[in-house]
Amino acid sequence: MYISVLNFKGTITGSSPGTYMPALRYIEKKNKVKALLLIINSGGGDANATEILYNQLMKISSKKPVYALIEGIGASGAYWLACSAEKIFAMRTSLVGSIGVISMSPDFSEFLDTLGIKMRINKVGKYKDINSPFRPMTEEENAIYNNIMKDVYSVFREEVKKRRNLGEDIMEEIATGLVFSAEQAKKNGLIDGIANLETVVDELKAKTGTNSIKNLTPKRPFISRLMSMSFEAIYNVIK
């Protein structure tokens, strides 16, 4: 019998479910796994991949204790994953939250104009090139795209509200895309406590009655690890 540990580090991408789902299904089904500790250090990422992982984590949470510890940052989709846990902890210097949705795409149209380059676009369907980098969006298209993002945001927001048992007044204040310090996150109900790894592990040991710990974190593909490290290096330079 043992407590399993999974580290979620770096950007959540479309390939993340393929990396983590085998381990998550194993944790769900094996009776010898008494609990799961998620160690999170991520700024989030792909919404659909996050939802897939969250749904599987919720299956585990319905059968055995799940705790989350945010080391460094647990923001956006990574905080969504943390909400699958019975208890969420963060270190004193951690950043928590960023409850929101963002989509960014370049608009090269003016640059191409200066070069005298015109794009020929053949399409069937009025909105087929709605997010094309070769022309600006119209106001109508912006409204359509924003409504799509609002629907995704609503799913994220409602899961946080339900899992953290937060009132609508609090959600109005915190679900703005802002990140919070650990102290602020605790005050706002986003986490249950401020603690380090040793403290959280000790609490899980006491809860489950087992002292054995096993790290089941799968090794991500090399290119995925490389891209994540490159992204984090850029982020650390510009933040």
Side-chain angles (χ1 to χ4, degrees), residues 165-191:
N165 194 27
L166 298 174
E168 185 59 31
D169 54 337
I170 294 294
M171 291 303 298
E172 284 294 317
E173 293 181 13
I174 64 174
T176 60
L178 285 174
V179 292
F180 302 97
S181 68
E183 286 288 351
Q184 292 169 335
K186 183 180 177 183
K187 181 180 177 181
N188 289 322
L190 293 175
I191 64 174

Side-chain angles (χ1 to χ4, degrees), residues 64-200:
K64 55 193 72 177
V66 176
Y67 279 20
L69 172 63
I70 295 171
E71 292 185 339
I73 184 168
S76 196
Y79 179 70
W80 189 353
L81 295 184
C83 285
S84 66
E86 175 184 329
K87 286 188 177 182
I88 305 175
F89 299 90
M91 297 183 68
R92 291 182 300 170
T93 53
S94 298
L95 297 177
V96 181
S98 189
I99 302 167
V101 176
I102 186 171
S103 174
M104 295 184 288
S105 58
D107 178 357
F108 297 130
S109 56
E110 291 187 13
F111 175 67
L112 294 177
D113 284 344
T114 63
L115 298 177
I117 298 173
K118 301 292 183 183
M119 294 298 298
R120 288 195 297 267
I121 300 174
N122 299 306
K123 62 180 180 179
V124 179
K126 180 180 177 181
Y127 302 111
K128 192 63 179 176
D129 64 337
I130 191 171
N131 204 24
S132 170
F134 303 121
R135 67 171 181 84
M137 274 192 183
T138 66
E139 289 187 9
E140 178 194 14
E141 289 170 338
N142 265 315
I144 291 170
Y145 208 74
N146 281 335
N147 284 333
I148 292 171
M149 292 178 65
K150 285 177 182 177
D151 285 344
V152 177
Y153 167 74
S154 179
V155 174
F156 181 11
R157 187 183 190 277
E158 287 305 307
E159 286 299 318
V160 173
K161 181 180 178 181
K162 178 176 64 177
R163 291 293 296 171
R164 299 302 304 167
N165 194 27
L166 298 174
E168 185 59 31
D169 54 337
I170 294 294
M171 291 303 298
E172 284 294 317
E173 293 181 13
I174 64 174
T176 60
L178 285 174
V179 292
F180 302 97
S181 68
E183 286 288 351
Q184 292 169 335
K186 183 180 177 183
K187 181 180 177 181
N188 289 322
L190 293 175
I191 64 174
D192 297 285
I194 298 172
N196 58 24
L197 178 59
E198 183 179 2
T199 302
V200 177

